[in-house]
Amino acid sequence: MSDIVQRVAKLNEPQQQAVKSDARHLLVLAGAGSGKTSVLTHRMAWLIESGQAAPHGTLAVTFTNKAAREMRLRLEELLPSSPHGMWIGTFHGIAHRLLKAHWRAAKLPENFQVMDSDDQHRLVKRIINELGLKDDLLDSRKVQWFINGQKDEGIRAQFVTNSYSQQDKLFKQIYMAYEALCQRTGMVDFGELLLRAHELWLNNPPVLAFYQQQFQQVLVDEFQDTNSVQYAWLRVLCGDQVKLTVVGDDDQSIYGWRGAKVENIQQIQQDYPDTELVRLEQNYRSTGTILEAANAVIDNNTDRLGKELWTAGDKGDPIKLYAAFNEIDEARYIADSIESLLDQGTNASDIALLYRSNAQSRVLEEALIHLQIPYRIYGGVRFYERQEVRNLLSYLRLVASRNDDAAFERVVNVPARGIGAKSLENIRIVARDQGSSLWDAVTFMLQNGGLKGKAAGAVAAFQLLINELDEASEDMELSELCKLAIEASGLEAHYDKEGKEKAIARKENMQEVVNASKNYETNTEGLPPLMAFLSEASLDAGDAQADVDEDSIHLMTLHSAKGLEFIQVFMAGLEENLFPHRMSMDSSTGLAEERRLCYVGITRARENLTLSYAETRRLFGSETRNRPSRFIQEIPEELVDSVRPTLKTTSTFASGNYGSSNSYRSSKGGFSARNSDMGNALSEHESLSLGSRVRHPMFGEGVIVSASGQGANVAVTVAFEGEGVKELMLQYAKLEVI
DNA sequence: AAGATAGTCGTTTTT
DNA sequence: CGACTATCTT
């Protein structure tokens, strides 16, 4: 106890108030870098050490697995003994745990399986087909989006508001069929986990009472990210006994698109008028300059709860801004900068490279590889989303649950064993007609001669394979079962045949699954190891599996960067249409959320922040020109140091694509953006600048639209009239200025 | 039935 | 550009 008292004494005044509060409901509004996680973990330790909560009576909810792991780690440092029995996890993870424990009360099969969004999308497509609704106008992804949106709001198919719109009626019809199929095959999607967990409380008073008895303290991190169901679930759980602490920051609400409701912060004060409010506004993370920039940007949003971060620290270095010719130039600049940081002795792990969308990572990676800078990507194509990993897991899922249709469809013919589209279609029809899973349909068809010779044999062999794996699993460790599945399924031979680099990587990844499974051979909270492993695979992206040892820089989206901090931060791609992203630009709420995302990005930096944008960017196969992001302009000029000064220019930025030289226009007006300064690439070639008209002996006349490289390696992109866009090395191309 | 090839299409963020 | 589909050839 004395230990924690001493530690708490080191916190600042409002932090201590939050940690020690004995209010029944506590709302902590915590700005970026104000010690939010620290307050949360200290409070948990405080509550336990002071006897206000038993370890197993403490429930802490986070949004990401990373955050949950981090919290556990920090608690281990604070508590004399490891936090045994505490409930720490994501909303989804905790919902899953509850449903596994109370599957009967939740009206689920004991071996229900969790679907990820890819499984879900396939299922939606299948239903659209089966209902005979396949139509170019019906976008399966929109349907998926719709279903998830309804579930986020806690609305089951039958309660979807009736609408006269033809589309809404269709959506509702598909949702109904989807719900029925999931129930029939024991499949649960992400939204369903939360919805069921909520219904578990509502429909089973004894179960609810049990947990209300068990939990004395519930704590929620990143509360601004809770959606309607999560909030409802919390409210029911807390009843009029359990104490609730929530921590959040309305300025960091970046998941509105996924149903998150910032309003929950106000809602909780309405629902519980006695809620104690503590604000944490002192920032301990960033320099004065970085903080000022962040404040200036977020100040452009209206409807904020109001909060101004301040720091007692130094102003620090100015923010760097690099205006790149194109995305390759941008990547090169960033990689060069990182290299010199490393040369100066910065740890790679103190450097982060952030971007708006995953698609941006490839070019950046290439530049890093070129300079042999070790990096690690979070997110992107996640480990458990890789094709070979999913295939392997599908075999295991079938072992765990024969009714797992998603897994069945995925691997019944992978590797190819002669069960083609026709056979599968027949199986689907039987399954639909008798309302069974695909597996049961096959069993039925085999008994009744519903499948013809070749396909019948192949399907029977497949069933036998799964059954044998199941039997074998009885007396071997999980990792051995994985190994056996790789061999017996034929996946190993399948990828062996490809024999290329890719195939080798695939086999390595399958081996990685074997390794990962070893962690689940013991200590699985009462679940059978296979079950525990599979649900973890669905609920956790598997980021933790990547090589943790090497000191490497971090690459990730701005979204995944939330909650983290780095000494050096690079934010790439600050261009209109990319950041803010074009998909969120047509509404003021969308734009405000992009701005909060920018705020999140800026506040990740402790000492140095480098922003960059590219004047032209190759995206979706064609060259695009975008203006610098409005967020750049929102940062006070005096805080920014332009690496390549922006001058008035003769060119303008077209807002859309342009493919030929015709659409490249010169104009006097508009935005200030550099290009005639010629920066690194063109400065030695005095007569050339972006926008220069040139003549090539072969291609004729054209306009220079971008340039990159240095010294002898300057490359220019020229839009030739009639010949299209070409990239030329300046030292070889015989270009003549007109 | 399976593989190869051509052609189309849509492109954010994540548990 | 690349993931997915439709169509072809074997």
Side-chain angles (χ1 to χ4, degrees):
Chain A
M1 183 69 200
S2 65
D3 196 35
I4 185 71
V5 168
Q6 279 171 19
R7 282 169 177 273
V8 170
K10 289 185 187 144
L11 301 174
N12 72 22
E13 189 50 44
Q15 286 175 332
Q16 291 197 30
Q17 188 192 340
V19 168
K20 296 196 249 180
S21 165
D22 51 10
R24 177 138 125 67
H25 304 290
L26 175 65
L27 167 62
V28 183
L29 286 179
S34 63
K36 171 179 65 94
T37 312
S38 174
V39 163
L40 212 44
T41 47
H42 277 84
R43 177 160 172 80
M44 289 167 76
W46 176 270
L47 292 168
I48 291 171
E49 291 290 286
S50 65
Q52 296 179 65
H56 73 275
T58 312
L59 169 65
V61 195
T62 62
F63 275 81
T64 64
N65 294 292
K66 211 194 286 172
R69 278 190 289 265
E70 165 90 8
M71 187 179 280
R72 208 171 265 282
L73 218 65
R74 296 250 216 134
L75 267 166
E76 277 168 16
E77 289 165 12
L78 287 178
L79 289 169
S81 60
S82 82
H84 190 70
M86 286 178 83
W87 286 56
I88 301 177
T90 63
F91 272 104
H92 293 87
I94 285 164
H96 178 260
R97 181 170 170 183
L98 288 168
L99 294 176
K100 276 289 175 193
H102 305 281
W103 53 274
R104 221 186 291 269
K107 302 194 181 70
L108 283 169
E110 186 174 9
N111 59 356
F112 74 87
Q113 298 291 306
V114 179
M115 267 189 293
D116 65 19
S117 50
D118 187 55
D119 292 326
Q120 187 189 31
H121 186 225
R122 284 161 189 271
L123 207 56
V124 169
K125 279 201 283 196
R126 179 179 152 199
I127 285 162
I128 291 174
N129 280 327
E130 286 185 0
L131 292 174
L133 296 171
K134 196 165 159 43
D135 182 344
D136 291 344
L137 294 171
L138 190 67
D139 183 346
S140 57
R141 306 191 60 164
K142 282 204 179 117
V143 178
Q144 181 184 17
W145 184 258
F146 171 83
I147 293 175
N148 288 336
Q150 296 297 314
K151 289 195 178 189
D152 285 341
E153 291 298 315
I155 302 168
R156 289 233 167 263
Q158 63 174 129
F159 297 118
V160 171
T161 325
N162 282 311
S163 157
Y164 291 107
S165 136
Q166 198 58 40
Q167 177 175 283
D168 288 358
K169 281 184 190 163
L170 268 180
F171 280 13
K172 180 171 179 172
Q173 186 191 355
I174 299 166
Y175 185 9
M176 302 261 262
Y178 171 83
E179 212 173 45
L181 183 60
C182 289
Q183 182 61 37
R184 188 162 95 210
T185 56
M187 302 298 291
V188 172
D189 62 44
F190 290 137
E192 186 72 25
L193 284 170
L194 305 174
L195 197 45
R196 286 264 176 174
H198 182 219
E199 288 169 353
L200 179 68
W201 293 156
L202 296 181
N203 301 335
N204 302 278
V207 175
L208 175 61
F210 174 82
Y211 285 100
Q212 286 178 332
Q213 199 74 40
Q214 173 174 337
F215 296 127
Q216 293 115 39
Q217 297 278 352
V218 175
L219 303 97
V220 185
D221 195 9
E222 307 279 15
F223 187 67
Q224 75 282 353
D225 290 336
T226 47
N227 66 24
S228 299
V229 187
Q230 288 160 338
Y231 184 77
W233 180 85
L234 280 172
R235 262 204 80 175
V236 177
L237 171 62
C238 291
D240 48 29
Q241 276 300 315
V242 185
K243 292 188 168 180
L244 180 64
T245 300
V246 305
V247 181
D249 179 4
D250 58 313
D251 288 332
Q252 294 189 67
S253 155
I254 55 175
Y255 287 103
W257 52 274
R258 188 173 95 175
K261 293 269 189 302
V262 209
E263 307 91 272
N264 285 343
I265 296 181
Q266 285 107 317
Q267 191 65 41
I268 202 165
Q269 296 176 89
Q270 262 175 44
D271 289 346
Y272 303 111
D274 60 337
T275 299
E276 180 179 352
L277 175 67
V278 178
R279 285 167 189 271
L280 306 179
E281 294 181 303
Q282 182 175 4
N283 174 294
Y284 294 95
R285 180 186 293 156
S286 310
T287 63
T289 298
I290 289 166
L291 209 54
E292 200 181 331
N295 282 336
V297 168
I298 200 66
D299 199 40
N300 289 281
N301 274 357
T302 49
D303 292 333
R304 297 175 56 212
L305 287 178
K307 170 173 50 52
E308 190 89 350
L309 284 178
W310 60 278
T311 176
D314 295 339
K315 274 188 94 65
D317 297 334
I319 292 164
K320 283 204 199 102
L321 173 66
Y322 182 75
F325 290 107
N326 56 28
E327 80 281 7
I328 297 168
D329 182 34
E330 177 185 50
R332 198 217 71 236
Y333 170 78
I334 293 172
D336 282 351
S337 308
I338 291 174
E339 189 180 44
S340 53
L341 283 173
L342 295 175
D343 287 346
Q344 290 161 33
T346 309
N347 287 331
S349 55
D350 289 330
I351 304 173
L353 172 45
L354 311 179
Y355 37 82
R356 176 63 176 81
S357 67
N358 285 308
Q360 285 169 256
S361 73
R362 182 151 295 173
V363 192
L364 298 167
E365 283 181 73
E366 280 167 9
L368 294 170
I369 291 168
H370 185 66
L371 297 184
Q372 300 185 315
I373 297 170
Y375 67 89
R376 199 170 146 204
I377 289 205
Y378 293 81
V381 181
R382 301 162 129 71
F383 181 72
Y384 286 119
E385 282 170 15
R386 286 160 208 258
Q387 187 202 112
E388 63 279 12
V389 173
R390 294 180 61 97
N391 284 340
L392 173 54
L393 289 176
S394 290
Y395 279 97
L396 298 176
R397 276 163 57 170
L398 281 170
V399 169
S401 165
R402 302 292 192 280
N403 291 336
D404 187 332
D405 279 5
F408 185 96
E409 292 228 25
R410 195 170 173 98
V411 294
V412 67
N413 201 33
V414 177
R417 40 173 80 84
I419 303 158
K422 260 272 155 48
S423 311
L424 196 53
E425 188 51 36
N426 289 333
I427 297 170
R428 282 201 203 97
I429 290 170
V430 172
R432 187 189 56 195
D433 289 350
Q434 61 184 27
S436 72
S437 64
L438 296 171
W439 179 276
D440 288 341
V442 165
T443 310
F444 176 81
M445 289 164 87
L446 286 174
Q447 282 163 2
N448 296 276
L451 281 162
K452 304 250 184 299
K454 207 162 79 183
V459 166
F462 178 71
Q463 283 201 325
L464 188 63
L465 167 68
I466 300 295
N467 287 334
E468 280 178 351
L469 283 174
D470 195 2
E471 277 169 41
S473 73
E474 305 268 319
D475 39 41
M476 58 170 68
E477 296 280 23
L478 179 57
S479 59
E480 305 206 5
L481 175 68
C482 289
K483 237 186 266 174
L484 183 64
I486 293 172
E487 290 157 22
S489 65
L491 282 175
E492 184 161 49
H494 176 66
Y495 289 120
D496 262 339
K497 248 190 298 182
E498 285 182 29
K500 298 194 192 95
E501 247 179 88
K502 241 185 183 168
I504 294 166
R506 290 193 195 286
K507 282 172 59 185
E508 280 172 4
N509 284 332
M510 291 198 294
Q511 184 54 45
E512 197 51 48
V513 174
V514 176
N515 296 339
S517 72
K518 287 196 176 122
N519 297 330
Y520 298 86
E521 288 175 345
T522 52
N523 225 348
T524 54
E525 284 168 358
L527 287 177
L530 179 58
M531 295 286 189
F533 179 46
L534 289 175
S535 54
E536 191 78 1
S538 308
L539 294 169
D540 189 340
D543 289 344
Q545 258 80 31
D547 46 340
V548 213
D549 310 327
E550 198 182 8
D551 183 36
S552 44
I553 73 160
H554 305 257
L555 264 70
M556 67 188 89
T557 62
L558 288 156
H559 281 87
S560 7
K562 191 165 71 152
L564 306 176
E565 61 174 49
F566 304 92
I567 296 176
Q568 302 281 345
V569 169
F570 292 80
M571 272 168 79
L574 274 97
E575 295 137 48
E576 291 286 297
N577 293 325
L578 183 60
F579 189 34
H581 197 278
R582 56 155 64 77
M583 303 309 265
S584 4
M585 279 169 71
D586 43 12
S587 72
S588 61
T589 52
L591 202 56
E593 184 153 308
E594 295 284 307
R595 187 172 282 112
R596 290 192 293 268
L597 192 54
C598 184
Y599 176 80
V600 167
I602 294 173
T603 52
R604 295 313 94 194
R606 282 166 53 181
E607 291 175 14
N608 287 99
L609 176 65
T610 305
L611 310 175
S612 60
Y613 66 91
E615 287 164 354
T616 72
R617 179 177 294 274
R618 200 175 182 79
L619 219 55
F620 322 133
S622 57
E623 211 70 14
T624 52
R625 305 201 120 224
N626 291 311
R627 306 203 285 282
S629 171
R630 68 191 71 193
F631 301 144
I632 293 176
Q633 268 112 65
E634 291 172 3
I635 299 174
E637 245 176 279
E638 66 270 19
L639 303 179
V640 180
D641 198 355
S642 283
V643 176
R644 193 186 259 168
T646 59
L647 300 178
K648 295 287 178 205
T649 135
T650 53
S651 79
T652 189
F653 294 92
S655 55
N657 297 354
Y658 78 98
S660 73
S661 58
N662 296 342
S663 58
Y664 185 87
R665 298 169 293 131
S666 286
S667 109
K668 36 207 155 341
F671 335 97
S672 73
R674 63 133 296 291
N675 76 9
S676 51
D677 71 289
M678 294 174 284
N680 297 351
L682 288 178
S683 54
E684 306 109 271
H685 307 275
E686 282 154 31
S687 54
L688 291 176
S689 68
L690 290 190
S692 290
R693 288 195 65 82
V694 292
R695 184 181 290 119
H696 185 274
M698 297 264 290
F699 305 134
E701 290 186 15
V703 173
I704 298 185
V705 296
S706 75
S708 61
Q710 280 176 322
N713 295 318
V714 176
V716 291
T717 307
V718 184
F720 289 103
E721 280 148 25
E723 295 285 335
V725 178
K726 310 268 184 214
E727 199 167 330
L728 305 166
M729 295 302 289
L730 205 49
Q731 60 170 327
Y732 301 123
K734 295 194 172 56
L735 288 178
E736 183 191 340
V737 187
I738 304 174

